[in-house]
Structure formats: C-alpha cells, structure tokens
Amino acid sequence: MNFVYILIYLSLISHTFRFSVVDFFIGFFSFAHVSCLKSAPENVRSVESLHALVCGKNFSDVSQSNLLIASGLIHLFVVSGSHLKILHKIVFYLLCNRCFSLTKFLQLIIFSLLFFYCAICKFNPPIFRSFIALVLLAVLTKYKLRWRTEQLILISGLICLGLSPQWINSLSFQMSWIASLTLAVISFFFLKSSELFKNSLFYVNYLTTFNFIGIPQPLSIGVSTLFTRFLEYVLFPLALAVYLFPFLGKIFDALIFILNSFLSRLELTVIFRPYENEKLIFLNWILILSIHLFLNRTSKAAQYA
C-alpha cells in the first residue's frame, strides 16, 4: 500500500499548487469536442440526445433533462464511464479478431482511440476515471499482477485527483466513484441477484446526493432496470453509428421518440431543492471511504477464511 500513500502525497502537492494536467488536456484538445458537435448529421432531429450520448454535452432543453433525471436515466445519456467501457469492447472486437492478435502496437492504438474519445467528451470526470482504470488494468494484466477491484478503484481515483485536484469538489466524479464501488459490492455479494435489486442498491447509495438535490420517485428504479441495457448496448452504439452512416438517423430519432413518449406517460417527477454543496461533497467522501473500508475488511476476511 506504499503506492497509495505516494499517490495521496502527490495529490496533496498538486492540490496545493493548483496544477491540473486535465485542464491542459481540455485546452489542448478543445477542437475534438467542437468537431464532434459540428459533425452530427443534419438529418437527425434528436440532435441533443445524439450530442449527449456521443459528445458528452449536457442538455440545454430543461424539460428533456428533467425527464431523464426523474427516470434515473440521465447518467446513461450524458457520457459516463460505462460508455467508455462499451466503446473499449467495440474497438477491441473490431481490431482484435481472428486476423489480428493483441500486440503492444495494437494495444497502443486502442488506448489512443479511447484517450481521443475522452478528449471528445472534454475529459469529463467519470469517463476519464474509467480510462485511467482501464489503463491500470492493462498494466496489471501485462505484468501478471492481481489487485482487488476496490484497490483498482481507489488507485485510479487517486491518480485522477493528482491529475485534476479540483475534482475533489466534483459531484460527477464522486458519483462515478460511488457507482464503481456499488458494482464492486454487487460482484462480491449480489452477483446472482436480480437486476431490480442491483439497481435498488444504486438508488440507496445515491440517497445522500438525492437528499441534497432532489429525490426521484422509487419507480425510477424499475425504469432504470428496464432501459439500462437498451441504452448501453443498443442506443449508444447506434448513436456512434449515426456519425458514420447518417441514414441510421431516422432509426435513432424513432427510438428517442418512443423512449420519451413512454417516460412522459409515467409522469415521473423530481422535487428539486437548492443544495449545500460543501455538506454534500463531504458526506459523499465519507460514504466513499466507508465503502472502501468495508470492502477492504471483507476481502481480507475472505482470504483468511
């Protein structure tokens, strides 16, 4: 764990000097995000949804944004860490088939493409944290090292804080971290449980955030269960394909229309409230630390059992 202490020390130093590598990346690669927005096919009517799914742009349409927040689907539209992992699977499948083996050069190409996609999404905290985790996992695999999942999550998070100290106050960064820890808890204890139960755990872990910002109806758990796989493995790949094959825009528009119509009929609402940012950030870090300590003790207990 000496490596962890070093990362914490470096994070504190970078926070003291307010030096952010990520801010430099954002400025240097700003053209990537702009190009993504401008390259959207003109025949797509649901262009805001397309920009959110592919380019990581927040919705300017308040009604559309509130509809997705109330249904618990907003994190699946505005690019998150799960999008990068799906893109990694797609690129890996396309490049590493029977014709190509995973050489160092090919792996470099894959991670270069993923890094460029981070640039397209303006290096938003969830997707960049996911990128760092994927790079770490590749390094561990290469050197045949084995880290527990919660250790990988912790190290990747600390690296991100070292590269971008201001993320210590980023709610999206915290929620991405909590999501990864929730997945770790699920894989450790509830792997065979139903999707509804798993989504309920996400809801429970986000209750602190909901309490400060706005509590969506519990029905949103069922909606997330119903649409998560569809959005991740159908709508997101389709959105990427629309950029290459504009004629698919009609299918994309039809699916967005059906989704919005269904969500509107449910009449889900969120009671928004002004939140105290400092308290929310502090409580979220307490939650993150608590889950890490719980997983660490559980893993050690399992080893000695």
Side-chain angles (χ1 to χ4, degrees), residues 132-198:
I132 295 297
L134 285 173
V135 172
L136 272 177
L137 186 59
V139 172
L140 293 173
T141 302
K142 175 179 174 56
Y143 291 101
K144 299 180 180 179
L145 300 174
R146 298 185 66 179
W147 285 0
R148 297 192 303 272
T149 303
E150 71 273 11
Q151 291 177 324
L152 180 64
I153 295 171
L154 176 62
I155 299 301
S156 59
L158 290 175
I159 290 175
C160 286
L161 287 176
L163 296 175
S164 183
Q166 68 269 26
W167 284 357
I168 198 169
N169 295 315
S170 169
L171 182 59
S172 62
F173 180 65
Q174 287 186 321
M175 295 185 75
S176 171
W177 198 320
I178 293 172
S180 293
L181 287 173
T182 304
L183 288 173
V185 171
I186 289 172
S187 64
F188 199 94
F189 296 101
F190 309 109
L191 191 58
K192 296 182 180 180
S193 300
S194 66
E195 290 297 319
L196 182 62
F197 180 79
K198 293 175 183 177

